[in-house]
Amino acid sequence: MKIEQIYTGCLAQGAYYIESNGEVAIIDPLRETQQYVDKANKENAKIKYIFETHFHADFVSGHVDLAKKTGATIVFGPNAETDYNAHIAKDNETFKIGEITIKVLHTPGHTLESSTYLLIDEDGKNHAIFSGDTLFLGDVGRPDLAIKSDLTKEDLAAMLFDSLRNKIMTLADDVIVYPAHGAGSACGKNLSKETVGILGEQKKTNYALRADMTREEFIKEVLNGIAPPPQYFAKNAMMNKSGYDNFETILKKGDTPLSPEAFEAMASSEDALVLDVRHQDDFVKGHIPNSISIGIQGGFAPWVGALITDLKQPILLVVPEGKAQETVTRLSRVGYDNTLGYLEGGIESWKAAGKDIETIKSISVDEFSKHFNAEDIQVLDVRKDGEYNSEHLKGDNVKHFALDYINDNMNSIDKNQTYYVHCAGGYRSVIAASILKARGFDNLIDIAGGFGAIKNSDLPTTDFVCPSTL
């Protein structure tokens, strides 16, 4: 028996390759599926089943493409309804992969169809669970993402309470836990950085598995502090339910080099968004007018999903050399399949063609401190709610303007005002500045180093409050 976790850090997502005696099961595959086919071929094995723990909201799974490539059967748990061929399993139904068995444990709560897959080894022993978004290390799945459901999040939380106690906590302490996500995912609020654990340890340390916890306490605690889901979550879940275009076709279209002239013409004719994925330091020094910065080196795909509201938006790319294919792939993982091409030769070719370039002023914290102490200036702190509430720059002229909700709050600021913008380290402040600049806010100054640098200066900040006590 072979179990391999294939973890993708930018999505904080774990897919699984399970092999026994020449047969393979894939659990929660990524959009780019050739890697699983190649792995099976290398082992002279055949992919027999593709198990989906639920309709994922934070990424587009590769189950549909992988089934077409391999003839493998897609398996969902009870209550799932799909627009493509899939086996909808019954609770406790079993599937043979070589000499091992996968047993379906229906664990609704995160979503109605959510299921945990119990791996029973060659000796008949319960070896591991693939818990999807039902159980994480340190947390459980948020119960507010069920698509087209008339149930409340409280109803789903109650279901999750029962699922955990009746299906998972009854298993032996030595059962291995393989979750779908780790720290960084928006599918939970307190996920561990570890990506593999032991059930007994979770029973001891995971707040949601306390033995003496009542249903009412669980509902209150699991719902406390959950931020609204990013706008793309429901759209990705629907793609996973309904199907999507072939990944290789999307990659071929998006990985197309365009001359500056062709790039400019297509931007105009297709009403395309110019997405610049270079490092923020390069973006502020020079970029195409009206382009948006979301650096590929950061939490790229989730920020694209949070900020670009139309999954079908035509997108043109400005990328570091050799990064076009990776960028198109990472966009497709969250459902953005309409990439039209990239600027050949990058920003240097744009400059060489005599095209217009814009910049964003970026200053050090030392320089910002001089302005803050001597002038009546306006500051935008674009960090998340928890970061801001924990500690922030002190002053009536400091406004919390979370990047997550920038599209909803644009009317709360003045285009005639000059704003100094900061985040924690510089990545998100440039994203925010680029969006504001593209929408007509011309008086923007980025604070390099963000709040990390501000804390180490003489600027006044509020007293630190531990996020867990907020």
Side-chain angles (χ1 to χ4, degrees):
M1 177 178 66
K2 177 180 180 180
I3 300 173
E4 182 177 347
Q5 182 185 68
I6 304 170
Y7 199 78
T8 304
C10 63
L11 291 176
Q13 189 268 344
Y16 296 92
Y17 176 96
I18 305 166
E19 182 187 331
S20 174
N21 200 26
E23 293 186 335
V24 174
I26 305 293
I27 298 181
D28 295 339
L30 275 185
R31 186 79 181 271
E32 60 274 24
T33 58
Q34 191 59 41
Q35 58 183 318
Y36 311 114
V37 176
D38 292 344
K39 190 178 292 291
N41 288 341
K42 186 177 179 180
E43 300 293 337
N44 293 316
K46 178 177 175 58
I47 299 175
K48 184 177 183 181
Y49 293 111
I50 304 158
F51 292 100
E52 289 286 343
T53 55
H54 62 294
F55 293 124
H56 302 280
D58 60 314
F59 72 100
V60 179
S61 180
H63 55 301
V64 176
D65 276 352
L66 188 56
K68 289 177 181 177
K69 283 183 178 180
T70 63
T73 300
I74 299 170
V75 179
F76 277 93
N79 296 330
E81 296 179 0
T82 66
D83 294 343
Y84 45 81
N85 290 332
H87 179 89
I88 309 305
K90 297 179 176 64
D91 190 22
N92 295 316
E93 186 173 348
T94 59
F95 299 82
K96 292 293 292 184
I97 297 98
E99 297 177 357
I100 65 174
T101 301
I102 299 287
K103 184 176 184 179
V104 179
L105 306 179
H106 186 212
T107 50
H110 175 64
T111 63
L112 290 175
E113 78 286 347
S114 283
S115 295
T116 295
Y117 295 108
L118 172 64
L119 188 154
I120 303 168
D121 67 17
E122 300 91 334
D123 299 321
K125 183 179 184 298
N126 292 341
H127 179 78
I129 54 171
F130 300 86
S131 54
D133 287 20
T134 295
L135 175 64
F136 300 125
L137 303 184
D139 202 356
V140 292
R142 56 190 298 165
D144 63 339
L145 300 181
I147 57 174
K148 291 191 173 181
S149 171
D150 57 359
L151 296 169
T152 67
K153 58 187 178 183
E154 288 79 12
D155 293 332
L156 287 161
M159 288 184 186
L160 184 57
F161 176 86
D162 291 335
S163 293
L164 291 166
R165 277 146 183 83
N166 298 334
K167 296 292 184 68
I168 291 180
M169 292 177 68
T170 56
L171 297 171
D173 288 354
D174 63 352
V175 168
I176 301 169
V177 179
Y178 291 108
H181 295 291
S185 170
C187 293
K189 58 186 179 181
N190 191 41
L191 282 69
S192 169
K193 293 180 181 179
E194 301 298 322
T195 62
V196 180
I198 301 296
L199 184 55
E201 184 65 21
Q202 288 305 299
K203 291 177 184 179
K204 294 176 184 177
T205 62
N206 191 319
Y207 77 96
L209 302 189
R210 287 203 320 268
D212 61 349
M213 197 178 213
T214 66
R215 179 180 279 100
E216 290 70 26
E217 288 173 334
F218 176 88
I219 293 170
K220 181 179 179 180
E221 291 190 35
V222 81
L223 294 177
N224 182 47
I226 294 182
Q231 62 86 28
Y232 73 104
F233 268 29
K235 300 169 185 176
N236 276 196
M238 191 55 67
M239 288 179 71
N240 284 320
K241 180 182 185 330
S242 302
Y244 43 75
D245 293 334
N246 176 265
F247 168 73
E248 278 77 15
T249 302
I250 291 159
L251 181 60
K252 183 177 180 180
K253 180 179 74 171
D255 190 18
T256 301
L258 299 169
S259 68
E261 292 73 23
F263 188 95
E264 186 175 47
M266 189 171 285
S268 176
S269 65
E270 299 292 335
D271 195 23
L273 170 72
V274 177
L275 180 62
D276 192 324
V277 307
R278 296 174 299 148
H279 192 279
Q280 66 267 18
D281 292 347
D282 296 321
F283 183 87
V284 299
K285 293 172 184 175
H287 56 268
I288 295 173
N290 297 319
S291 59
I292 301 301
S293 169
I294 305 180
I296 199 168
Q297 83 284 356
F300 175 69
W303 278 119
V304 168
L307 299 171
I308 301 176
T309 56
D310 183 5
L311 293 190
K312 297 181 179 179
Q313 169 68 52
I315 295 174
L316 289 166
L317 298 172
V318 179
V319 300
E321 185 176 356
K323 290 292 186 179
Q325 188 172 114
E326 178 186 344
T327 304
V328 176
T329 297
R330 290 172 66 174
L331 285 168
S332 74
R333 288 175 181 167
V334 286
Y336 292 83
D337 290 350
N338 199 13
T339 305
L340 306 178
Y342 66 94
L343 179 61
E344 187 174 20
I347 201 71
E348 294 306 318
S349 71
W350 185 264
K351 292 177 183 177
K355 305 293 185 182
D356 289 342
I357 290 287
E358 291 188 349
T359 61
I360 292 175
K361 185 176 181 180
S362 183
I363 64 173
S364 68
V365 166
D366 287 343
E367 185 177 348
F368 168 65
S369 181
K370 297 173 185 176
H371 293 287
F372 189 83
N373 292 321
E375 305 169 25
D376 181 19
I377 64 171
Q378 299 298 311
V379 180
L380 298 180
D381 183 336
V382 302
R383 295 175 300 155
K384 291 181 178 290
D385 291 355
E387 295 173 283
Y388 178 84
N389 292 332
S390 179
E391 189 177 14
H392 59 266
L393 193 61
K394 189 185 295 184
D396 294 337
N397 56 343
V398 178
K399 180 180 178 64
H400 184 213
F401 192 71
L403 176 60
D404 306 58
Y405 313 117
I406 193 170
N407 291 314
D408 300 324
N409 297 329
M410 203 72 68
N411 292 332
S412 69
I413 56 176
D414 183 358
K415 288 184 178 179
N416 297 315
Q417 177 70 55
T418 297
Y419 292 103
Y420 291 75
V421 187
H422 81 82
C423 59
Y427 179 77
R428 288 172 289 174
S429 60
V430 174
I431 297 176
S434 72
I435 293 172
L436 292 173
K437 189 173 179 64
R439 298 188 186 180
F441 291 81
D442 294 323
N443 305 312
L444 302 165
I445 301 169
D446 175 64
I447 304 171
F451 193 70
I454 288 171
K455 276 200 305 184
N456 293 320
S457 73
D458 60 357
L459 289 163
T461 59
T462 60
D463 293 335
F464 176 78
V465 179
C466 181
S468 63
T469 66
L470 293 175

